Amino acid sequence: MVAFPDNERCDIAGRYEPEGAENHEETEAKSKDATKPPSRCIVWRNVILMFLLHTGALYAIILIPKAHPFTWIWSYTCFIVTALGITAGAHRLWSHRSYRAKLPLRIFLAVANSMAFQNDIFEWSRDHRAHHKYSETDADPHNAVRGFFFAHIGWLFVRKHKDVIEKGKRLDVSDLLADPVVVFQRKYYRTSVVVMCFLLPTLVPWYFWGESIWISYFLASILRYTISLNVTWLVNSAAHMYGNRPYDRNINPRENRFVTFGAIGEGFHNFHHTFPFDYSASEFGLRWNPTTCFIDLMCWLGLAGNRKKATPEMIKARKLRTGDGSV
Ligand code: ST9
Ligand code: ZN
Ligand code: ZN
């Protein structure tokens, strides 16, 4: 459990302001001896926004029976596009470079990523590289050692631990900055989120089949967004705690079928932390892995290539050496 200190010197954005500190360096210096380091300040702005979002999502459930069936299909389609923007985009392409994508596919994935509204591709990938390199230490942004709640959502409610920032700066992110699609998406991130995460999902049902704006906003935007966030966060929380470890019993990430199902193929997390370069993020190729199906389809269409894969020999040897004996 994270012990939150009292927040009398933290502002709504979680900035810690010790008395007499004029700038960032002085704040850091003074906070070294303080009982309230900046990384423990609660970011009330995020707490309030997430509370409102989740309340809106609960309300949206009541609206489901009142919606046009096309609105259900549309909301689910938006969920899949959202998910691909994370799994095939920010995760397997930009964080891990597990395959190559041509410009049209990178543009599609960046647009889909803005629909996901999970921080821009650069920030997501930088944090995710830190998560792999410094897994389950203070330099891991959603360090699961700090408990289920912190790994799931709590990490967005406090300032980052100083190790995340200090050690994160040692990571090589030059490839991300060299990709004009990543740079463009970061530059216009706010606008792209307003359009892709909120306006487009809401306006399509209203314009094309006369759905009420209210219903389409709550279903295709709020509910779809909230579910996609929680499914993604389950990879950080549940898949770091529950499941078996056939590839490496010495690390916490686990194979979690429930997460795999929701996260369109991203729950083989023991495999993924053992072989992070594998484009399928799983030993089993297409099985339970819509993201792998999508990448394979893109390769077939000539829009992607250079898929990296752990060989069966490599996997077998690793299972024998460090696995927990399960399949
Ligand atoms: C969200 C992201 O939900 C979810 C990511 C989940 C990852 C899952 C991984 C699992 C893999 C598989 C995928 C499965 C997907 C399935 C999909 C199915 C649908 N290195 O951040 P700041 C520096 S987002 C190096 O402000 P604070 C940097 O210089 C939800 N440096 O830290 C930065 O400046 P700049 C929506 C780093 O002030 C400066 O520090 N978004 C690093 O402590 C300050 O950075 C939100 O709710 C690093 N790693 O604030 C927003 N990190 O800007 C949430 C930082 O120039 N975020 N630096 O880069 C925030 O409000 C804040 O970040 C904060 C921390 C309050 C959390
Ligand atoms: Zn990863
Ligand atoms: Zn992980």
Side-chain angles (χ1 to χ4, degrees):
M1 266 306 282
V2 191
F4 291 118
D6 82 83
N7 273 262
E8 63 197 22
R9 293 235 179 95
C10 301
D11 68 8
I12 190 166
R15 274 182 220 97
Y16 175 62
E17 293 164 342
E19 258 177 299
E22 296 280 322
N23 52 39
H24 179 71
E25 282 68 34
E26 283 180 22
T27 303
E28 287 292 311
K30 280 180 185 281
S31 64
K32 285 217 170 76
D33 314 315
T35 51
K36 295 182 284 271
S39 64
R40 290 297 172 85
C41 281
I42 298 176
V43 183
W44 285 106
R45 183 195 57 201
N46 290 3
V47 176
I48 294 163
L49 288 175
M50 282 299 170
F51 174 78
L52 292 175
L53 182 71
H54 284 75
T55 309
L58 287 177
Y59 167 69
I61 294 171
I62 305 169
L63 298 177
I64 294 175
K66 296 182 186 152
H68 193 291
F70 285 178
T71 309
W72 302 339
I73 297 168
W74 169 248
S75 302
Y76 187 66
T77 306
C78 289
F79 173 80
I80 295 297
V81 173
T82 297
L84 287 173
I86 296 299
T87 60
H91 192 219
R92 298 191 198 178
L93 177 65
W94 280 297
S95 297
H96 293 296
R97 298 279 171 203
S98 67
Y99 69 101
R100 288 229 184 112
K102 290 195 177 154
L103 185 65
L105 177 57
R106 297 212 308 282
I107 292 173
F108 167 76
L109 290 171
V111 171
N113 185 270
S114 289
M115 187 177 258
F117 186 14
Q118 288 190 14
N119 299 332
D120 62 54
I121 296 163
F122 175 82
E123 190 173 338
W124 201 105
S125 305
R126 183 189 59 190
D127 275 356
H128 192 67
R129 287 178 187 183
H131 168 65
H132 275 269
K133 189 162 168 76
Y134 307 113
S135 200
E136 287 163 326
T137 69
D138 282 334
D140 175 350
H142 30 82
N143 174 12
V145 172
R146 290 173 74 173
F148 187 98
F149 183 79
F150 181 84
H152 195 76
I153 189 173
W155 66 285
L156 296 166
F157 292 168
V158 284
R159 296 260 146 205
K160 284 173 172 160
H161 192 284
K162 66 173 177 30
D163 286 7
V164 174
I165 295 170
E166 275 172 25
K167 293 195 177 167
K169 292 215 188 294
R170 296 180 205 159
L171 297 166
D172 183 6
V173 286
S174 53
D175 59 312
L176 298 170
L177 295 171
D179 186 337
V181 176
V182 174
V183 174
F184 185 88
Q185 196 237 17
R186 185 160 164 81
K187 188 168 177 195
Y188 297 103
Y189 190 60
R190 277 171 193 227
T191 314
S192 69
V193 164
V194 171
V195 173
M196 289 309 300
C197 186
F198 298 106
L199 286 181
L200 185 83
T202 304
L203 294 181
V204 165
W206 167 76
Y207 184 80
F208 287 101
W209 53 91
E211 183 62 275
S212 94
I213 290 259
W214 186 260
I215 290 181
S216 62
Y217 172 69
F218 275 99
L219 288 195
S221 193
I222 298 298
L223 185 59
R224 181 265 319 163
Y225 176 46
T226 312
I227 292 174
S228 67
L229 279 181
N230 280 281
V231 168
T232 307
W233 296 337
L234 281 173
V235 180
N236 296 336
S237 53
H240 270 253
M241 286 172 193
Y242 312 117
N244 52 336
R245 291 179 279 190
Y247 310 97
D248 194 340
R249 62 181 178 276
N250 305 309
I251 56 174
N252 275 334
R254 289 146 203 261
E255 306 289 282
N256 186 304
R257 283 180 203 182
F258 173 74
V259 174
T260 295
F261 179 72
I264 64 168
E266 295 278 17
F268 305 96
H269 214 48
N270 189 253
F271 180 91
H272 176 57
H273 273 261
T274 312
F275 303 104
F277 59 85
D278 188 298
Y279 90 100
S280 190
S282 149
E283 180 182 355
F284 308 112
L286 301 176
R287 205 188 326 159
W288 293 113
N289 214 323
T291 304
T292 301
C293 299
F294 174 79
I295 297 170
D296 285 355
L297 176 67
M298 291 302 116
C299 288
W300 186 74
L301 291 173
L303 289 168
N306 286 60
R307 284 162 290 183
K308 297 183 192 137
K309 191 91 199 79
T311 64
E313 297 73 33
M314 226 184 227
I315 298 172
K316 196 173 162 204
R318 186 65 191 256
K319 274 178 151 173
L320 285 172
R321 192 160 58 83
T322 56
D324 66 1
S326 61
V327 274

